[in-house]
Amino acid sequence: MRDSVFIEFCVADSKDVKVIFDKTKFVFSCIGGTDNVKHENEMDLFEAIDENESKHKRTDRSVLVYIRKAQPGKPWPRLTKEKAKLSWLSVDFNNWKDWEDDSDEEIGNFDQFSNIMNNMGGEDDLAELDGPEEDESADSDDESKCL
């Protein structure tokens, strides 16, 4: 969507999740996995964000971050202020959205995700994003993967 950016940190069994939104950056930290590894990232964003409307949500598999742009509709040529490639950051092309290909159905999907993020009542609220529950013995090739 033109007014927001979604970032997913793939950290299973995260604890002590902290996400701090500032005018032009955000900081992410948590303890993850059975080894209790500390994960920390600070990202200087390309443009200003609305830190009051930006949110995060923890699931068992990841931490989802919703960043609301301060200037909706203004394109960002990249996520970060610096042009340097971050080794830990990659695009999830399964969820890629071209602005030129806007359709009401796709915008509705982003609105649904935004509504889920806005409802910060509990971790079970994200069950809709995972789709219907599947038998664990089923082929898992169709599942999305964290990059």
Side-chain angles (χ1 to χ4, degrees):
M1 191 154 207
R2 296 178 181 186
D3 62 352
S4 56
V5 175
F6 298 95
I7 300 173
E8 181 177 29
F9 291 94
C10 297
V11 181
D13 301 322
S14 59
K15 300 179 275 273
D16 299 329
V17 174
K18 293 182 182 76
V19 179
I20 302 167
F21 298 102
D22 197 1
K23 189 73 176 159
T24 58
K25 71 177 181 180
F26 80 97
V27 179
F28 166 80
S29 67
C30 75
I31 306 290
T34 56
D35 297 339
N36 291 319
V37 176
K38 173 109 175 158
H39 298 275
E40 237 179 330
N41 291 97
E42 182 173 322
M43 187 180 297
D44 290 316
L45 299 167
F46 185 79
E47 289 277 345
I49 62 171
D50 182 343
E51 60 265 32
N52 297 320
E53 291 296 319
S54 298
K55 302 176 188 296
H56 75 281
K57 180 92 171 161
R58 181 201 165 275
T59 70
D60 289 339
R61 296 182 300 173
S62 64
V63 177
L64 302 169
V65 178
Y66 167 79
I67 298 175
R68 181 79 172 198
K69 293 180 179 180
Q71 297 178 343
K74 183 176 181 183
W76 291 4
R78 62 187 172 278
L79 183 61
T80 60
K81 183 177 278 303
E82 300 297 322
K83 289 185 178 183
K85 171 87 172 113
L86 301 174
S87 62
W88 56 268
L89 182 66
S90 62
V91 174
D92 180 357
F93 285 104
N94 291 327
N95 291 310
W96 180 262
K97 171 89 172 73
D98 276 329
W99 287 19
E100 293 81 25
D101 297 337
D102 280 352
S103 74
D104 291 340
E105 178 182 336
E106 289 170 337
I107 289 172
N109 290 340
F110 278 101
D111 287 342
Q112 178 185 7
F113 185 79
S114 180
N115 288 338
I116 291 169
M117 290 296 292
N118 286 332
N119 183 359
M120 301 300 278
E123 294 173 11
D124 294 335
D125 294 333
L126 286 177
E128 295 175 44
L129 292 179
D130 294 332
E133 290 186 28
E134 297 177 12
D135 180 30
E136 299 225 1
S137 64
D139 187 10
S140 63
D141 289 340
D142 294 336
E143 292 181 21
S144 65
K145 295 179 176 79
C146 294
L147 301 175

